[in-house]
């Protein structure tokens, strides 16, 4: 193993920590989050500080950074005032539209319209989902953690999911090729998820068998 370059996080600037984290914690899934403001106007923005943290209760988490002047992004403000949001998974087909939704438009601009995406009314919450996304999760704010002056982690409980019928079966398996999700890498990088393979977790006895056959293989080739 070659040497490691180590970093003491207590000595790093915010930007340096950010660059190490987003460069090495990859690929991150991308949530294209739809919300509405108090006047019911739709908003959409991508977040890759995003993941699924629990299945029961079903919890999705978003890490939202404030603007430089510490003002809330539209997504955070809308969730604070309405208590709901929808996570739309970003597939390769809507990658460019997702990037349009990241443009720093002012409040009240409907990014879905700008990006040519179709809003569909929510089933459980008064917040639209995106028709073109292969999987959408309607969430009710569970708790928001104010982890610093400029950041919050928003946990949402999933109330409903809408998955393209062609990619989910009656055993609740979602076809990863059909989903075709995009991952976020460091900088402005992205990755596709088409290099997919299965690797089931072994039982202890399967692991023992595996070790025995590897040892037998070594004896044979010696
Ligand atoms: C792929 C991608 C991932 C992003 N992830 C985050 C994130 O995790 N947290 C964040 O605060 N901003 C993130 N951004 C930036 C926001 O999308 C951007 O600030 C957006 O304009 C916020 O919109 P809003 O004010 O409508 O909420 C990301 C942008 C892109 C393109």
């Amino acid at each position: 193993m070659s040497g490691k370059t180590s970093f003491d996080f207590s000595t790093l600037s915010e930007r340096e920590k950010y660059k190490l984290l987003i460069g090495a914690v990859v690929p991150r899934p991308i949530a294209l989050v739809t919300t509405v403001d108090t006047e019911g106007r739709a908003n959409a923005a991508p977040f890759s500080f995003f993941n699924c943290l629990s299945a029961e209760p079903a919890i999705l988490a978003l890490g939202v950074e404030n603007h430089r002047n510490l003002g809330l992004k539209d997504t955070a403000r809308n969730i604070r005032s309405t208590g709901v949001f929808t996570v739309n998974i970003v597939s390769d087909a809507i990658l460019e539209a997702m990037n349009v939704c990241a443009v720093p438009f002012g409040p009240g601009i409907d990014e879905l319209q700008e990006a040519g995406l179709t809003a569909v009314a929510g089933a459980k919450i008064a917040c639209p989902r995106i028709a073109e996304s292969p999987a959408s999760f309607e969430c009710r704010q569970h708790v928001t953690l104010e982890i610093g002056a400029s950041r919050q982690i928003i946990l949402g409980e999933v109330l409903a999911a809408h998955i393209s019928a062609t990619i989910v079966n009656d055993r609740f398996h979602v076809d990863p090729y059909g989903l075709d999700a995009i991952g976020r890498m460091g900088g402005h990088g992205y990755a596709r998820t088409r290099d997919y393979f299965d690797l089931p977790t072994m039982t202890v006895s399967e692991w023992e068998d595996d070790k025995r056959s590897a040892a037998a293989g070594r004896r044979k080739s010696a």
Side-chain angles (χ1 to χ4, degrees):
M1 264 295 204
S2 63
K4 298 269 165 71
T5 303
S6 300
F7 302 88
D8 176 350
F9 267 48
S10 67
T11 66
L12 301 183
S13 69
E14 178 178 329
R15 186 79 195 147
E16 289 163 346
K17 291 183 214 176
Y18 175 80
K19 284 167 76 176
L20 292 178
L21 289 168
I22 66 152
V25 183
V26 292
R28 294 181 307 284
I30 307 170
L32 183 50
V33 178
T34 38
T35 52
V36 288
D37 66 13
T38 47
E39 291 168 42
R41 292 176 300 189
N43 187 83
F47 294 88
S48 69
F49 283 1
F50 157 63
N51 223 307
C52 168
L53 298 190
S54 162
E56 188 60 72
I59 298 288
L60 299 182
L62 307 174
V64 184
E65 196 180 335
N66 294 343
H67 291 300
R68 281 221 182 102
N69 65 5
L70 299 186
L72 295 179
K73 289 188 179 177
D74 296 341
T75 300
R77 187 170 1 84
N78 290 349
I79 295 173
R80 194 174 277 200
S81 52
T82 64
V84 293
F85 63 97
T86 296
V87 164
N88 303 275
I89 298 299
V90 176
S91 60
D92 197 15
I94 60 168
L95 178 64
E96 282 169 25
M98 176 283 294
N99 205 30
V100 174
C101 294
V103 172
F105 298 113
I109 296 294
D110 181 347
E111 287 92 353
L112 296 177
Q113 217 172 344
E114 296 289 328
L117 292 169
T118 316
V120 178
K124 296 259 189 175
I125 59 176
C127 172
R129 61 187 162 88
I130 297 173
E132 291 83 358
S133 167
S136 302
F137 298 92
E138 296 185 21
C139 300
R140 179 174 54 211
Q141 180 179 226
H142 181 70
V143 70
T144 290
L145 308 171
E146 304 287 347
I147 53 164
S150 64
R151 279 177 180 73
Q152 53 236 276
I153 294 177
I154 300 170
L155 302 185
E157 179 171 2
V158 179
L159 304 181
H162 307 276
I163 307 203
S164 299
T166 50
I167 67 166
V168 63
N169 69 17
D170 55 6
R171 286 176 298 129
F172 301 89
H173 288 153
V174 177
D175 166 20
Y177 293 103
L179 191 71
D180 204 15
I182 288 290
R184 183 85 197 262
M185 307 297 282
H188 298 294
Y190 293 88
R192 297 193 171 85
T193 53
R194 290 174 201 156
D195 183 14
Y196 170 86
F197 56 91
D198 276 326
L199 181 65
T201 302
M202 290 177 274
T203 61
V204 173
S205 69
E206 281 167 344
W207 164 237
E208 297 295 346
D209 288 350
D210 218 54
K211 272 203 301 192
R212 265 193 296 276
S213 42
R218 275 197 301 275
R219 273 198 302 277
K220 221 170 172 183
S221 60

Short mmCIF file of all heavy atoms in Angstrom, two decimals, residues 19 30 32 56 61 80 86 105 120 123 145 149 166 169 178 197 210-211:
data_model
loop_
_atom_site.label_atom_id
_atom_site.label_comp_id
_atom_site.label_asym_id
_atom_site.label_seq_id
_atom_site.Cartn_x
_atom_site.Cartn_y
_atom_site.Cartn_z
N LYS A 19 -14.02 20.31 -0.44
CA LYS A 19 -13.41 19.67 -1.61
C LYS A 19 -13.01 18.22 -1.31
O LYS A 19 -13.17 17.33 -2.15
CB LYS A 19 -12.22 20.49 -2.09
CG LYS A 19 -12.68 21.73 -2.85
CD LYS A 19 -11.59 22.72 -3.08
CE LYS A 19 -10.64 22.30 -4.17
NZ LYS A 19 -9.62 23.36 -4.42
N ILE A 30 -28.48 12.00 -6.52
CA ILE A 30 -28.96 13.37 -6.66
C ILE A 30 -30.48 13.42 -6.47
O ILE A 30 -31.21 12.71 -7.17
CB ILE A 30 -28.61 13.96 -8.05
CG1 ILE A 30 -27.11 13.81 -8.34
CG2 ILE A 30 -29.03 15.43 -8.13
CD1 ILE A 30 -26.74 14.14 -9.77
N LEU A 32 -33.59 15.70 -7.01
CA LEU A 32 -34.13 16.93 -7.60
C LEU A 32 -35.38 17.22 -6.77
O LEU A 32 -36.40 16.52 -6.88
CB LEU A 32 -34.44 16.70 -9.09
CG LEU A 32 -34.93 17.90 -9.88
CD1 LEU A 32 -34.05 19.13 -9.69
CD2 LEU A 32 -35.00 17.56 -11.37
N GLU A 56 -37.61 2.32 8.22
CA GLU A 56 -38.77 2.32 9.13
C GLU A 56 -38.45 3.09 10.39
O GLU A 56 -37.77 2.54 11.26
CB GLU A 56 -39.17 0.87 9.46
CG GLU A 56 -40.46 0.75 10.24
CD GLU A 56 -41.66 1.33 9.51
OE1 GLU A 56 -42.11 0.72 8.53
OE2 GLU A 56 -42.10 2.42 9.93
N ALA A 61 -32.72 12.20 3.66
CA ALA A 61 -32.05 13.36 4.24
C ALA A 61 -31.48 14.26 3.16
O ALA A 61 -30.95 13.78 2.16
CB ALA A 61 -30.92 12.90 5.15
N ARG A 80 -39.51 24.89 5.19
CA ARG A 80 -39.77 25.47 6.51
C ARG A 80 -41.22 25.96 6.60
O ARG A 80 -41.88 25.78 7.60
CB ARG A 80 -38.80 26.63 6.73
CG ARG A 80 -38.74 27.08 8.16
CD ARG A 80 -37.67 28.12 8.34
NE ARG A 80 -36.35 27.51 8.50
CZ ARG A 80 -35.31 28.14 9.03
NH1 ARG A 80 -35.43 29.37 9.44
NH2 ARG A 80 -34.15 27.53 9.15
N THR A 86 -40.82 16.96 -2.21
CA THR A 86 -40.77 15.71 -2.97
C THR A 86 -39.37 15.53 -3.55
O THR A 86 -38.80 16.48 -4.12
CB THR A 86 -41.84 15.70 -4.09
OG1 THR A 86 -43.11 15.74 -3.47
CG2 THR A 86 -41.75 14.45 -4.95
N PHE A 105 -31.91 31.04 -10.00
CA PHE A 105 -33.05 31.92 -10.30
C PHE A 105 -33.53 32.56 -8.99
O PHE A 105 -33.38 31.98 -7.91
CB PHE A 105 -34.22 31.10 -10.88
CG PHE A 105 -33.92 30.41 -12.18
CD1 PHE A 105 -33.86 29.03 -12.26
CD2 PHE A 105 -33.73 31.15 -13.35
CE1 PHE A 105 -33.60 28.38 -13.46
CE2 PHE A 105 -33.48 30.51 -14.56
CZ PHE A 105 -33.40 29.12 -14.61
N VAL A 120 -46.56 17.17 -11.75
CA VAL A 120 -47.77 16.36 -11.53
C VAL A 120 -48.16 16.57 -10.07
O VAL A 120 -47.29 16.55 -9.19
CB VAL A 120 -47.46 14.85 -11.75
CG1 VAL A 120 -48.69 13.99 -11.48
CG2 VAL A 120 -46.93 14.60 -13.14
N ALA A 123 -49.86 13.14 -4.45
CA ALA A 123 -50.99 12.32 -4.01
C ALA A 123 -51.29 12.57 -2.54
O ALA A 123 -52.45 12.61 -2.14
CB ALA A 123 -50.68 10.84 -4.25
N LEU A 145 -32.39 19.74 11.30
CA LEU A 145 -31.28 19.95 12.23
C LEU A 145 -30.50 21.17 11.78
O LEU A 145 -29.97 21.19 10.66
CB LEU A 145 -30.35 18.72 12.24
CG LEU A 145 -31.01 17.36 12.46
CD1 LEU A 145 -30.01 16.24 12.23
CD2 LEU A 145 -31.58 17.29 13.87
N ALA A 149 -24.47 27.84 11.36
CA ALA A 149 -25.16 29.06 10.94
C ALA A 149 -25.56 28.99 9.47
O ALA A 149 -26.53 29.61 9.05
CB ALA A 149 -24.24 30.25 11.16
N THR A 166 -42.69 0.38 -15.51
CA THR A 166 -41.87 -0.59 -16.25
C THR A 166 -40.60 -0.99 -15.48
O THR A 166 -39.90 -1.91 -15.88
CB THR A 166 -41.42 0.01 -17.60
OG1 THR A 166 -40.87 1.30 -17.34
CG2 THR A 166 -42.58 0.12 -18.56
N ASN A 169 -41.28 -4.23 -9.99
CA ASN A 169 -42.12 -5.42 -10.14
C ASN A 169 -42.97 -5.66 -8.89
O ASN A 169 -42.89 -4.89 -7.92
CB ASN A 169 -41.28 -6.65 -10.55
CG ASN A 169 -40.35 -7.12 -9.42
OD1 ASN A 169 -40.54 -6.75 -8.26
ND2 ASN A 169 -39.36 -7.92 -9.76
N GLY A 178 -33.27 0.36 -15.66
CA GLY A 178 -34.41 1.21 -16.02
C GLY A 178 -34.35 2.54 -15.28
O GLY A 178 -34.72 3.58 -15.82
N PHE A 197 -23.50 -4.57 -10.98
CA PHE A 197 -23.34 -6.03 -10.76
C PHE A 197 -23.90 -6.38 -9.40
O PHE A 197 -24.04 -5.53 -8.52
CB PHE A 197 -21.87 -6.45 -10.89
CG PHE A 197 -20.94 -5.70 -9.97
CD1 PHE A 197 -20.66 -6.17 -8.71
CD2 PHE A 197 -20.37 -4.49 -10.38
CE1 PHE A 197 -19.81 -5.47 -7.86
CE2 PHE A 197 -19.52 -3.78 -9.53
CZ PHE A 197 -19.24 -4.28 -8.27
N ASP A 210 -15.82 -20.63 0.84
CA ASP A 210 -15.07 -19.79 -0.09
C ASP A 210 -13.57 -19.85 0.21
O ASP A 210 -12.75 -20.00 -0.70
CB ASP A 210 -15.57 -18.35 0.11
CG ASP A 210 -15.68 -17.60 -1.19
OD1 ASP A 210 -16.34 -18.11 -2.09
OD2 ASP A 210 -15.06 -16.51 -1.27
N LYS A 211 -13.25 -19.76 1.52
CA LYS A 211 -11.83 -19.79 1.93
C LYS A 211 -11.22 -21.15 1.60
O LYS A 211 -10.11 -21.23 1.11
CB LYS A 211 -11.72 -19.55 3.45
CG LYS A 211 -11.64 -18.09 3.82
CD LYS A 211 -10.99 -17.86 5.17
CE LYS A 211 -11.75 -18.55 6.28
NZ LYS A 211 -11.31 -18.12 7.61
#
